[in-house]
Amino acid sequence: MPRGNAHQSKVHYQGKDEDFVIFVDDVQSVQNWKEDRSIPLAQVVSGFKIFVTHKHGAQNAHDAASKQTLENEFGTHNEDECMIKILEGGALQETETGERQGPKNDTMGARQAH
């Protein structure tokens, strides 16, 4: 069985000074939310955390967005309002992480013929 095979969906928003990323459950839930705003954000967003990539695109390292960064970009530091703006104006991205390779049990020592 492959290890690490995971499906990941996120929304990437390219701002004036920073790039923002939020992780979502799946693309279909975002599309449903855009059509019907009565769906709670908790059913769309995978964890209420906004990340910045320091203008290095959606695939780079993610750091937590500070309140000041959110205030500068969106005019508010309320994370719910910022997430709504990111969902409205961001680009949906889906990725599938590949299988991890490497030793499966390091405690077994070297397994080479002597």
Side-chain angles (χ1 to χ4, degrees), residues 15-101:
K16 297 177 297 218
D17 300 321
E18 292 285 352
D19 287 359
F20 297 88
V21 173
I22 57 173
F23 291 93
V24 294
D25 292 336
D26 58 27
V27 171
Q28 188 61 44
S29 64
V30 174
Q31 291 170 346
N32 291 343
W33 177 84
K34 285 183 176 183
E35 294 172 7
D36 180 12
R37 295 295 174 95
S38 66
I39 297 172
L41 278 179
Q43 294 180 5
V44 178
V45 178
S46 183
F48 280 84
K49 194 75 175 161
I50 301 173
F51 298 95
V52 292
T53 64
H54 307 291
K55 288 303 232 182
H56 290 162
Q59 306 304 324
N60 202 9
H62 299 95
D63 293 327
S66 68
K67 289 185 177 185
Q68 185 62 48
T69 304
L70 296 175
E71 186 77 40
N72 290 343
E73 182 67 37
F74 301 107
T76 180
H77 63 270
N78 182 318
E79 290 191 359
D80 289 348
E81 292 177 26
C82 295
M83 283 187 187
I84 289 171
K85 291 179 181 181
I86 292 170
L87 287 170
E88 290 173 342
L92 281 165
Q93 297 183 349
E94 283 186 289
T95 57
E96 180 111 10
T97 56
E99 178 181 348
R100 292 191 316 243
Q101 300 294 324

Side-chain angles (χ1 to χ4, degrees), residues 103-111:
K104 293 182 176 41
N105 191 348
D106 290 331
T107 62
M108 295 178 81
R111 303 192 97 198

